[in-house]
Amino acid sequence: MSKTITPYHDQQATKKEQVADMFNNISKTYDFLNHFLSLGIDIIWRKKAINELKKDKPKLILDVATGTGDFAFEALKTLRPEKIVGVDISRGMLDIAEQKIQKRNLADKFEVKLGDSEKLPFEAGEFDAVTVAYGVRNFENLESGLADIRRVLKPGGKAVVLEFSKPKVFPIKQLYNFYFNYITPGIGKLFSKDARAYSYLPESVAAFPDGKNFVALMDKVGFKNTKHRPLAFGICSIYTGIK
């Protein structure tokens, strides 16, 4: 990325600080808007990403940028690991995740921590798998974030990244761009107290080095057997790599 895209153009705060503020602001409406804006398809994409770990049977999973925990809850149900640890930079999002954990009586299986995705508060080689769903494009330094994900993985451990990408096929590309640039911010403004958050979304996706460029970054920090799997004509992509 040649230019750093931040949620709030008029602030002097770092991208990291702005992203934390943004998610604190939208935490209460995040789950509703996520499912609403994606027409529920985000749930299917999450399941596809989690299925990438079925054969690996990871016992201890780290979910980076865990947010309100939806990806981790789905992973618990599908993969049945001994434990999942979620880390996120937004206290507001983690408060929602903790409410869900208590409601579902899963405190022994799922724990969340406030932390920086690029300086993960864990020892090297601690986890069997690391997942990130819709979080890497918010990293301030993508390369150092990926390197740290690799650091906390056990040798042979797998990273699974689910992220928006840019479709290139007509008319999907045109429809996607219209929806993302006009419909999404409009609905976001209607339901969220932070309208800027939903304008940042298409901007951050447009600036994100998706596809082969992201795979190249994974290769650069040392991941092996890296793969890229586009979903829904390239609207979303799953990336995997082995330490």
Side-chain angles (χ1 to χ4, degrees), residues 61-64 66 84-88 94 110-114:
I61 300 171
L62 173 64
D63 188 36
V64 173
T66 196
I84 294 183
V85 179
V87 66
D88 201 280
L94 292 180
F110 182 20
E111 156 194 5
V112 294
K113 289 185 178 185
L114 188 68

Side-chain angles (χ1 to χ4, degrees), residues 23-201:
F23 281 111
N24 287 337
N25 289 342
I26 65 172
S27 58
K28 289 181 172 62
T29 52
Y30 179 81
D31 283 344
F32 163 72
L33 278 174
N34 219 16
H35 303 323
F36 183 76
L37 289 168
S38 70
L39 312 175
I41 300 168
D42 65 305
I43 297 165
I44 296 165
W45 293 340
R46 282 190 179 96
K47 286 180 178 177
K48 286 181 184 290
I50 288 162
N51 284 341
E52 293 285 343
L53 289 169
K54 263 192 170 176
K55 290 179 184 174
D56 304 274
K57 297 183 172 61
K59 291 181 179 176
L60 183 59
I61 300 171
L62 173 64
D63 188 36
V64 173
T66 196
T68 61
D70 276 4
F71 192 88
F73 287 120
E74 191 64 42
L76 272 175
K77 192 166 70 176
T78 304
L79 303 172
R80 302 191 181 280
E82 289 175 8
K83 190 168 186 179
I84 294 183
V85 179
V87 66
D88 201 280
I89 203 169
S90 164
R91 183 70 257 172
M93 297 288 271
L94 292 180
D95 287 345
I96 306 287
E98 283 174 344
Q99 288 167 23
K100 291 183 187 176
I101 290 166
Q102 295 306 319
K103 196 175 177 182
R104 301 175 196 192
N105 295 315
L106 287 170
D108 58 329
K109 293 281 185 185
F110 182 20
E111 156 194 5
V112 294
K113 289 185 178 185
L114 188 68
D116 185 344
S117 300
E118 295 160 49
K119 292 176 186 169
L120 295 164
F122 307 103
E123 298 296 319
E126 203 170 324
F127 296 92
D128 300 304
V130 178
T131 57
V132 197
Y134 309 112
V136 289
R137 77 178 187 283
N138 296 320
F139 286 7
E140 191 158 40
N141 187 315
L142 187 53
E143 190 175 321
S144 67
L146 287 174
D148 213 41
I149 285 170
R150 185 181 177 278
R151 178 185 67 81
V152 300
L153 272 171
K154 290 177 181 175
K158 186 187 277 188
V160 178
V161 176
L162 176 65
E163 190 52 90
F164 287 114
S165 46
K166 299 178 278 290
K168 295 170 176 63
V169 181
F170 178 86
I172 305 299
K173 176 183 175 180
Q174 287 73 16
L175 289 169
Y176 171 86
N177 287 338
F178 178 78
Y179 186 76
F180 239 31
N181 287 295
Y182 298 100
I183 307 298
T184 297
I187 296 172
K189 191 175 182 178
L190 200 62
F191 290 100
S192 171
K193 68 175 183 178
D194 190 341
R196 174 65 198 141
Y198 292 90
S199 300
Y200 163 75
L201 174 62

Side-chain angles (χ1 to χ4, degrees), residues 6-25:
T6 57
Y8 310 107
H9 298 323
D10 56 347
Q11 287 188 10
Q12 294 304 307
T14 64
K15 177 173 180 175
K16 204 170 289 183
E17 291 164 341
Q18 291 189 39
V19 165
D21 285 345
M22 179 186 76
F23 281 111
N24 287 337
N25 289 342

